[in-house]
Every structure is written in structure tokens, then in C-alpha cells.
Amino acid sequence: MSVTELAYTSAVEAETTPIFERAERIIPRVEWPIHAPYVAAINRLKRERNAVILAHNYQVPEIFYTVADIVGDSLALAMQASKTDADVIVLCGVHFMAETAKLVNPGKTVLVPDLLAGCSLADSITGADVRLLRERYPGVPVVTYVNTSADVKAESDVCVTSGNAVQIVEALGAPRVIFLPDEYLAKYVASKTQVEIIAWKGHCEVHERFTGADIIAYREDDPSLVVIAHPECPPDVLAEADYVGSTQGMVEYVGEQAARAARDIRPRVLLMTECSMADNVAARYQGVDFVRPCNLCPHMKRNTLPKILHSLETMEYEITIDPLVADRARRAVERMLEYSRAARD
Ligand code: 13P
Ligand code: SF4
């Protein structure tokens, strides 16, 4: 099927109406005739190809609520990728997430809808940089955020996500570690542990734009505001936050606020993270009011329904990793997954 044949026919309408009903709190009805033909075609091709769509929490609602099979943070997507029995994984997120999926399940075809969906953190460091750090700090373990290339992971002892960084740094039992590449996540981890942290100067171009002064200004208007921040935010933001955690942790914390709402309080939540995540969470929790300072991740936003359809039609763009790099990078990711499974069980 080619994109030009797509039309909002009565058959497409009938097939997609139950899907729209899941998403109607967030997707305007007037937009559905544009999305629906893609949604129908993508869902049909997923069945034909035995494909699964993994979508990060920052994907737009028309991906998150209508074609994604699994949604979550980086850790959840890596774990689900490792155990899927689908033949094809379409990763709607950014490039490092797709590489991670390929590392943990190398026998699968892993596709990304847009090869240019990168990440400022992943771009901030190379494998050669890590080798130099090892020379400078011999014997010090290298702990690497998953927001990095496979080359960087291959030079690392263990990977972490924002959901398990503190726990894994402590579990290593070393007096100090090199923590790469997010300076602010490194500072957050340092604030939670006695382990000495040697940091790099990488930043997330989305979260570095939030400031503690923003929060103070919002709180002047509403002192009861509940502030939830991602640990990629600068320290002055985290100092003002009521909760700091991964995107999945943030969703769960909003869920706890929604439970308060059930007891006749209507909480107001300030989400210091990417715009679409705030849209997706707001659609899910009706009893909570949201303040949503909106910083877009331009990389996450490269994924669109037409590109996902193109990806499934053409089987582009396939993620491949040099086997020598992949073997070493896989060890660092698997070690992270083992810690996380042990903590969960
Ligand atoms: P999470 O693992 O918390 O979803 O974060 C990934 C990310 O890229 C946030 O900017
Ligand atoms: Fe990278 Fe920041 Fe975008 Fe996450 S939000 S993918 S850390 S640039």
C-alpha cells in the first residue's frame, strides 16, 4: 500500500473508532480523519509483519495512544525489547533506544522511522573520550547512561537509566565511579549516595532549559502546586521539586496525585519534562490539573504516523551494530537489566 492511497473511508472509520475512543480526550475529533487511515494501515501491517511498536513516553498522542503496543521509559522499553517474540521491533523514540533494543534482542529486525532522531546527550561523548577517561582514572568503574551510542556503551562497565542509576551506582560497591555523560543526572546521583561521582559535561537540550526560578514563580501563584521533575533537569530545578524520577516514575507519581483527587482534593501538578509526555499523562488522569511548561524534544518529534507506515512498508531504517562493538556494549546493558530484574524480584 502506498501513502497516496490512504483515505478516510467508512471501513477505516468503523475499524478505527474504538481506537479513537481511547484517545479522544487528547486528539481533537476534527483531526481523526487525518490520522485514522495511517492508524488502520499501520495496525494492519504490524499484523502482517509480526511487528511490535515500542513507544517512549515522549511520543505524540497520535502515536502513543493509537499504534503503540508498549509504552514506557527507557528502562521499560529495553526490558520489553529483550523479551518480545515479535519478528520486528519499530522503536518510536530516539536512535540510542533502538540500538539498545537491538543489543538486548539481536535476532530481531529493529527499525526506526527516522534515522536522524538523535539525542544531545548521546552526541556529547564518544568511545574515544571514554578510553581517555579510563587512562586518567585507572581502575575506576565507568557507569554510562543509556542515552549514549553503542560505541560508548562498549567502553563502559555498566549502563543505567534515570530509573535505576542510584541503585546501580551503590550496588557496584566502588568508592568512586565515572558517571557519563549527563552532568545533571550525575549531580543528582551524587546527592543520593556516598559514592564519589566523576561527571562529564553532557546535557539534555530539552531539560537544561528549565530553571528553579520558573518553579518559584509558579508557586507564587499556587503554593500547593506539586512539582515533578526529570533528573536531567539542572540542580536548581531538582532542589524545588517534590518528586524526581524517570518518565515512568513521573507517570506513577501523577497516579498517586490522582488517588488524592479521588478523596475530593483536585491536585495541580507542574511537569518539568517534555511536552508530549505532559499531554499523554494529562489525557490519562482526568482528576488532576496540569501546568505544562512546554519544551519539545526535536528528536522525539521526528517520528510521525506517515514515517512509521513508511518504515513498516519498506522495512527501513534498520539498526545494525558492528558485532565487535555490539558484544561489548551488550554486556554493559545486560548487566543493567540483571540489576533491575534482581531489584524487581
Ligand atoms: P526516561 O528513561 O526517564 O524515559 O528518559 C529518557 C529520556 O531521554 C528523557 O529525556
Ligand atoms: Fe535526548 Fe533530551 Fe531528547 Fe531525551 S529529551 S532524547 S535526553 S535530547
Coordinates of all heavy atoms in Angstrom, one line a residue, residues 58 94 96-97 118-121 145 147 204-207 232 274 297-300, ligand 2:
Y58 N 7.6 10.2 25.4 CA 7.6 11.5 24.8 C 7.0 11.5 23.4 O 7.1 12.5 22.7 CB 9.0 12.0 24.7 CG 9.7 12.4 26.0 CD1 11.1 12.6 26.0 CD2 9.0 12.5 27.2 CE1 11.7 13.0 27.2 CE2 9.6 12.9 28.3 CZ 11.0 13.1 28.3 OH 11.6 13.4 29.5
V94 N 14.2 7.5 20.2 CA 15.4 8.1 19.5 C 16.4 6.9 19.3 O 16.2 5.8 19.7 CB 16.0 9.2 20.3 CG1 15.1 10.5 20.3 CG2 16.3 8.8 21.7
F96 N 19.4 6.0 20.2 CA 20.0 5.1 21.2 C 19.1 4.1 21.8 O 19.5 3.0 22.2 CB 20.7 6.0 22.3 CG 19.7 6.5 23.3 CD1 19.2 5.8 24.4 CD2 19.3 7.9 23.3 CE1 18.3 6.3 25.3 CE2 18.5 8.4 24.2 CZ 17.9 7.6 25.2
M97 N 17.8 4.4 21.8 CA 16.8 3.4 22.3 C 16.7 2.2 21.4 O 16.5 1.1 21.8 CB 15.4 4.1 22.5 CG 15.4 5.2 23.6 SD 13.8 6.0 23.7 CE 14.2 7.2 25.0
G118 N 18.1 11.8 17.0 CA 19.3 11.6 17.9 C 19.0 12.0 19.3 O 17.9 12.0 19.8
C119 N 20.0 12.5 20.0 CA 19.9 13.0 21.4 C 21.1 13.8 21.7 O 22.3 13.4 21.4 CB 19.8 11.7 22.3 SG 19.9 12.1 24.1
S120 N 21.0 15.0 22.3 CA 22.1 15.8 22.6 C 23.0 15.2 23.6 O 24.3 15.4 23.6 CB 21.6 17.2 23.2 OG 21.0 17.0 24.4
L121 N 22.5 14.3 24.5 CA 23.4 13.6 25.5 C 24.2 12.6 24.7 O 25.5 12.5 24.9 CB 22.5 12.9 26.5 CG 22.0 13.8 27.7 CD1 21.0 13.1 28.5 CD2 23.2 14.3 28.5
Y145 N 25.0 6.3 31.3 CA 23.5 6.5 31.0 C 23.2 5.8 29.6 O 24.0 5.9 28.7 CB 23.3 8.0 31.0 CG 21.9 8.4 31.1 CD1 20.9 7.7 31.7 CD2 21.5 9.7 30.6 CE1 19.6 8.2 31.8 CE2 20.2 10.2 30.7 CZ 19.3 9.4 31.3 OH 18.0 9.9 31.4
N147 N 21.5 6.9 27.4 CA 21.4 7.9 26.4 C 22.8 8.1 25.8 O 23.4 9.2 25.8 CB 20.9 9.2 27.0 CG 19.5 9.2 27.5 OD1 19.1 8.2 28.1 ND2 18.7 10.2 27.3
C204 N 21.0 17.4 28.5 CA 19.8 17.3 27.6 C 19.4 18.7 27.2 O 19.1 19.5 28.0 CB 18.7 16.6 28.4 SG 17.1 16.8 27.6
E205 N 19.3 18.9 25.9 CA 18.9 20.2 25.4 C 17.5 20.6 25.7 O 17.1 21.8 25.6 CB 19.1 20.2 23.8 CG 18.2 19.4 23.1 CD 18.5 19.2 21.6 OE1 19.3 18.4 21.3 OE2 18.0 20.0 20.8
V206 N 16.7 19.6 26.1 CA 15.3 19.9 26.5 C 15.2 20.3 28.0 O 14.7 21.4 28.3 CB 14.4 18.7 26.2 CG1 13.0 19.0 26.7 CG2 14.5 18.3 24.7
H207 N 15.8 19.5 28.8 CA 15.6 19.7 30.3 C 16.6 20.8 30.8 O 16.3 21.4 31.8 CB 15.9 18.4 31.0 CG 14.8 17.4 30.8 ND1 14.9 16.5 29.7 CD2 13.6 17.2 31.4 CE1 13.7 15.7 29.8 NE2 13.0 16.1 30.8
E232 N 17.2 14.9 34.5 CA 18.1 15.5 33.5 C 18.0 17.1 33.7 O 18.7 17.8 33.0 CB 17.7 15.2 32.1 CG 18.0 13.7 31.8 CD 17.4 13.3 30.5 OE1 16.8 14.1 29.7 OE2 17.5 12.1 30.2
E274 N 9.2 16.9 28.9 CA 8.9 17.2 27.5 C 7.4 17.3 27.3 O 6.6 16.7 28.0 CB 9.5 16.0 26.7 CG 9.8 16.4 25.3 CD 8.8 16.1 24.3 OE1 7.8 15.5 24.6 OE2 8.9 16.6 23.1
C297 N 11.2 18.0 22.5 CA 12.4 17.3 22.1 C 12.3 17.2 20.6 O 11.5 16.4 20.1 CB 12.6 15.9 22.7 SG 14.0 15.0 22.0
P298 N 13.2 17.9 19.8 CA 13.0 17.9 18.4 C 13.3 16.5 17.8 O 12.9 16.2 16.7 CB 14.1 18.9 17.9 CG 15.1 19.0 19.0 CD 14.3 18.7 20.3
H299 N 14.1 15.7 18.5 CA 14.4 14.3 18.0 C 13.3 13.4 18.2 O 12.9 12.7 17.2 CB 15.7 13.8 18.8 CG 16.8 14.8 18.9 ND1 17.5 15.1 17.8 CD2 17.2 15.6 19.9 CE1 18.4 16.0 18.2 NE2 18.2 16.3 19.4
M300 N 12.6 13.4 19.3 CA 11.5 12.6 19.5 C 10.4 12.9 18.5 O 9.6 12.1 18.1 CB 10.9 12.8 20.9 CG 11.8 12.2 22.0 SD 11.6 10.5 22.2 CE 12.7 10.1 23.5
Ligands
SF4_2 FE1 17.9 13.2 24.5 FE2 16.8 15.2 26.0 FE3 15.5 14.4 23.8 FE4 15.7 12.8 26.0 S1 14.6 14.7 25.8 S2 16.0 12.2 23.8 S3 17.7 13.3 26.7 S4 17.5 15.4 23.8

